[in-house]
Amino acid sequence: MLTLGIETSCDETSVAVVDSGSKTLSNVILSQSVHTKFGGVVPEVASREHVRTIIPIYKQALEEAGVTRDQIQLIAATMGPGLVGPLLVGLSFAKGMAWGMEVPFVAVNHMEGHLAANLLSQPDLDDNHLTLIVSGGHTMLVHVRSFGEYEILGRTVDDAAGEAFDKIAKVMGLGYPGGAEVDKLAKQGDRTYERFPRAMRHHEYRFSFSGLKTAVAQYLDKLSAEERDKHLPDIAASFQEAVVDILVEKTVKAAKEKNIRDVTISGGVAANSRLRELMQERLTRAGKRFFYPPIQLCTDNAAMIAAAGYFRFQKWGATEFVVDAVPYLPLD
Ligand code: KG4
Ligand code: ZN
């Protein structure tokens, strides 16, 4: 079933064509660069950029997939969580297209899209699995009993992991969004250089990153310009280790305690090289299987939305056209 996926929840305009939730035919992603000069996403600017680019991106997605409009059998779009203006652009476009083409339409939860990136790319993955969703706006550990049946074991009480990466990147002068830059810089550093705090270690599956962010920012403040330049890669690596260590520790603990064999990570921070490495190491040691999506399916993209839309349609059919954008849409 050829599914057209549309994702516009934040600052990526993305359209994809996916066959039956398992084969990506195209996945065009345009990251809006206009926000860089503001050091963060400006919602109104993002909405206007989505309006300006969605049709050319849609045409490119069909062309790259080598399909025509009348071959599309299902249209899926993100309805939340995200920024309301940007969400409305993609959702309205999807509804209009589905109405005009007389094909079913499915509204998708962005977080379900993230976890579905693994269903799309990992055919071996068990329906029943544990997933750590780590993005710019969310950090949560979820027991997926089957597609659509979720138990949220824990989440962050303050900043999301990606938010911490972005804030530290900013104070280090690495630009926005800076997670990938911190990852790159950390590769040249010593992760044992400084031990930054691991928060909420004994609080079940809850996470906290705001204290760590402050600790690293204050640490950097106290350094001379010379020391800072010399040790920036070491500090980046030590900060990254503190984030990754706690994410991995709680995920392994949940997999063991809940007796879940398969574990996945998803969301933008799942692209982090050290997170992938340490998860693999500790999960293998615990006798668990570890899966993660290719990098282009970790950060926001429409292929994951098309996949989630397809699985949703298989289980529950189409969504009514009256559905609206919901900025704080919960996963469960
Ligand atoms: O899932 P995503 O694209 O958007 C949201 O739904 O939020 O995640 C974006 C987040 C940003 O905070 C970005 O800095 C972070 O993912 N990110 C990374 C890496 N690549 C992207 N964080 C750490 N290491 C990376 N390699
Ligand atoms: Zn996302």
Side-chain angles (χ1 to χ4, degrees):
M1 185 179 216
L2 286 187
T3 309
L4 186 76
I6 293 158
E7 157 62 37
T8 61
S9 66
C10 192
D11 58 341
E12 263 87 25
T13 315
S14 180
V15 182
V17 180
V18 173
D19 191 3
S20 304
S22 60
K23 190 163 185 256
T24 306
L25 303 182
S26 67
N27 189 19
V28 183
I29 306 163
L30 178 78
S31 294
Q32 303 175 350
S33 52
V34 296
H35 306 288
T36 316
K37 59 176 178 284
F38 302 112
V41 179
V42 183
E44 182 56 30
V45 175
S47 308
R48 286 167 195 269
E49 282 296 290
H50 287 306
V51 170
R52 198 171 66 78
T53 57
I54 194 154
I55 292 174
I57 298 283
Y58 154 74
K59 288 184 176 161
Q60 191 182 337
L62 286 190
E63 197 180 307
E64 284 185 17
V67 303
T68 55
R69 194 179 73 169
D70 43 302
Q71 286 176 278
I72 298 295
Q73 294 159 294
L74 178 69
I75 299 184
T78 307
M79 65 170 287
L83 301 169
V84 71
L87 284 167
L88 273 173
V89 178
L91 197 62
S92 308
F93 179 76
K95 286 195 226 173
M97 291 294 288
W99 179 273
M101 289 158 61
E102 296 183 8
V103 296
F105 156 76
V106 184
V108 173
N109 182 307
H110 182 80
M111 308 319 288
E112 186 170 64
H114 274 307
L115 71 88
N118 284 293
L119 308 179
L120 173 61
S121 58
Q122 306 295 336
D124 215 19
L125 175 66
D126 198 1
D127 279 352
N128 175 32
H129 63 274
L130 178 72
T131 189
L132 174 74
I133 311 179
V134 267
S135 71
H138 295 82
T139 299
M140 51 179 153
L141 199 50
V142 184
H143 182 184
V144 180
R145 293 181 195 279
S146 65
F147 183 80
E149 207 192 326
Y150 308 121
E151 185 194 348
I152 299 177
L153 303 177
R155 50 160 63 97
T156 179
V157 298
D158 42 54
D159 292 354
E163 208 175 335
F165 268 99
D166 292 338
K167 286 179 180 164
I168 291 307
K170 211 168 181 175
V171 294
M172 286 185 162
L174 301 174
Y176 177 90
E181 296 302 316
V182 173
D183 189 354
K184 208 158 92 190
L185 186 65
K187 287 199 174 108
Q188 306 150 30
D190 171 9
R191 57 179 176 258
T192 63
Y193 179 73
E194 185 64 46
R195 190 175 168 87
F196 290 118
R198 272 73 164 156
M200 303 209 119
R201 191 151 236 168
H202 305 293
H203 287 74
E204 275 294 287
Y205 306 122
R206 270 178 287 161
F207 301 94
S208 164
F209 296 106
S210 124
L212 169 64
K213 175 194 71 192
T214 310
V216 177
Q218 285 178 348
Y219 182 92
L220 282 165
D221 256 0
K222 287 190 195 127
L223 297 180
S224 67
E226 204 173 69
E227 274 177 315
R228 194 183 146 112
D229 282 352
K230 187 169 168 217
H231 290 295
L232 210 57
D234 300 325
I235 299 161
S238 302
F239 156 74
Q240 177 174 274
E241 195 66 10
V243 176
V244 166
D245 186 26
I246 203 81
L247 289 173
V248 174
E249 181 177 306
K250 296 208 176 202
T251 306
V252 174
K253 180 173 140 81
K256 281 185 183 164
E257 284 182 5
K258 305 276 169 184
N259 197 22
I260 308 169
R261 184 192 57 169
D262 287 4
V263 181
T264 74
I265 52 173
S266 55
V269 182
N272 186 266
S273 60
R274 181 64 184 151
L275 177 64
R276 289 164 176 240
E277 183 180 62
L278 201 62
M279 275 286 186
Q280 186 76 69
E281 197 180 300
R282 296 205 199 149
L283 282 167
T284 306
R285 206 186 306 145
K288 307 292 179 187
R289 304 198 306 171
F290 175 50
F291 301 86
Y292 52 86
I295 286 182
Q296 69 274 20
L297 291 181
C298 289
T299 42
D300 290 351
N301 69 90
M304 68 184 197
I305 301 302
Y310 169 79
F311 296 123
R312 234 159 222 273
F313 184 71
Q314 294 304 307
K315 270 192 136 163
W316 297 289
T319 308
E320 302 264 348
F321 281 121
V322 291
V323 73
D324 218 340
V326 182
Y328 293 98
L329 184 70
L331 178 65
D332 52 349

